[in-house]
Amino acid sequence: MVLEEFDETVNSTFDPHEVENVVEGFPKVGVTCFSKKLFDQLVDKFNGIEIALNSNGNGKFPIYKINYEGHELALFMSIVGAPACIVQYEELFAMGLEKMVVFGTCGALDRSIDDLAIIIPNSAIRDEGTSYHYMKSSREVVVNPKYQDEFIKILKEHDYSYIVGKAWTIDAPYRETRSKVAERKNEGCICVDMECSAIAALAKFRNKEIFQFFYAADNLDAAKWDQRSLGNTEKLSDKEKIGLLAIKLATIIED
């Protein structure tokens, strides 16, 4: 298998710092989500100031600076899908970012997990390709080796329930077959997403601190797929409150 041919060499034929320059005054800690509507709402709420642009063949993605309780943080929208997401993060590190909190939706593999429930992944099955270029071949990767206790404390202070468990990261959402869902559930997975395992591998390879969490969206543990709040405009006020949890954790990570 080609994906078993991991190369430990740190430098490549060209590296992120050759694509992006350091941005003066770029915050060391960032917060990011995958929803455009929620991202725009957070930018407005915290009076974000545009400080840089990240770009690819699909266009430009603004990066903002926000101030929360005296803490300057970067706020940006992540690109969906492990390959594009990891390229984006590599370039943000080149700009000056050191740590980040990543949050977004996931599909629930257990029908008892409520819509918008907070899920903290502690490991992820690597059913995507990107992570294999950042760490040796293995079935799983450890997720969130730091800051889990700090985030749980924030959740308890704000009366949020939460679930800690294994994620299944896959590149092909339209290939989440019923048999695959059953297999992953038997392995202990409670949710499915498209980036988690790759982000964890990147953090380990680049020695960066990245904390990830989900809010549950669609339910795959039913006779028929249940979209629930997966839509970009569904339950936005509740999702904004979840964004505030991420921002609060980012201020702790900064210290």
Side-chain angles (χ1 to χ4, degrees):
M1 291 290 292
V2 173
L3 294 182
E4 294 177 352
E5 300 174 3
F6 175 64
D7 187 343
E8 296 184 3
T9 308
V10 174
N11 294 325
S12 186
T13 53
F14 68 102
D15 293 307
H17 67 267
E18 298 177 78
V19 177
E20 295 289 354
N21 297 317
V22 173
V23 176
E24 185 176 353
F26 200 97
K28 297 300 181 185
V29 182
V31 176
T32 181
C33 65
F34 293 84
S35 163
K36 178 66 164 62
K37 194 72 174 178
L38 176 56
F39 169 69
D40 289 342
Q41 200 158 307
L42 291 173
V43 169
D44 288 342
K45 182 177 181 65
F46 294 103
N47 300 311
I49 300 172
E50 186 176 316
I51 57 171
L53 288 171
N54 179 242
S55 62
N56 63 25
N58 297 123
K60 297 183 182 296
F61 301 86
I63 303 158
Y64 293 87
K65 181 187 291 185
I66 64 170
N67 189 298
Y68 180 75
E69 296 183 349
H71 297 267
E72 287 194 341
L73 304 169
L75 179 63
F76 62 96
M77 184 181 70
S78 288
I79 304 171
V80 173
C85 177
I86 297 307
V87 168
Q88 180 188 28
Y89 290 2
E90 287 270 41
E91 293 175 359
L92 283 161
F93 292 150
M95 290 179 181
L97 192 68
E98 291 290 335
K99 307 176 183 180
M100 72 175 93
V101 178
V102 181
F103 72 104
T105 62
C106 67
L109 300 182
D110 181 342
R111 71 188 68 188
S112 69
I113 297 175
D114 293 332
D115 189 28
L116 296 186
I118 301 296
I119 297 175
I120 305 171
N122 57 10
S123 66
I125 289 182
R126 301 167 63 189
D127 200 2
E128 41 71 35
T130 305
S131 67
Y132 294 86
H133 301 283
Y134 287 87
M135 64 182 290
K136 291 180 180 179
S137 178
S138 64
R139 190 163 185 79
E140 297 182 23
V141 58
V142 173
V143 182
N144 294 331
K146 294 183 67 175
Y147 302 118
Q148 180 174 301
D149 290 344
E150 289 85 345
F151 187 54
I152 289 173
K153 182 178 178 181
I154 291 172
L155 294 175
K156 289 180 176 178
E157 287 174 351
H158 292 82
D159 295 321
Y160 275 86
S161 59
Y162 63 90
I163 305 162
V164 179
K166 186 187 300 185
W168 166 30
T169 304
I170 182 172
D171 277 339
Y174 289 122
R175 295 303 299 149
E176 295 168 7
T177 63
R178 295 197 181 280
S179 61
K180 281 276 186 77
V181 169
E183 289 174 14
R184 298 297 178 258
K185 286 184 64 178
N186 287 336
E187 290 182 81
C189 293
I190 61 173
C191 63
V192 60
D193 85 301
M194 294 180 65
E195 300 87 15
C196 181
S197 59
I199 293 171
L202 169 70
K204 182 177 177 64
F205 185 78
R206 295 298 188 195
N207 194 29
K208 304 293 184 183
E209 294 180 1
I210 304 178
F211 188 88
Q212 307 180 60
F213 73 92
F214 305 115
Y215 52 95
D218 53 327
N219 174 32
L220 282 73
D221 186 28
K224 184 179 180 181
W225 176 62
D226 183 2
Q227 184 172 350
R228 300 201 298 194
S229 68
L230 183 62
N232 211 17
T233 59
E234 296 295 321
K235 300 184 178 179
L236 264 179
S237 61
D238 293 323
K239 292 173 182 177
E240 183 182 297
K241 293 175 183 176
I242 293 171
L244 182 58
L245 299 175
I247 290 170
K248 287 181 178 291
L249 179 61
T251 65
I252 293 173
I253 289 177
E254 183 186 33
D255 296 334

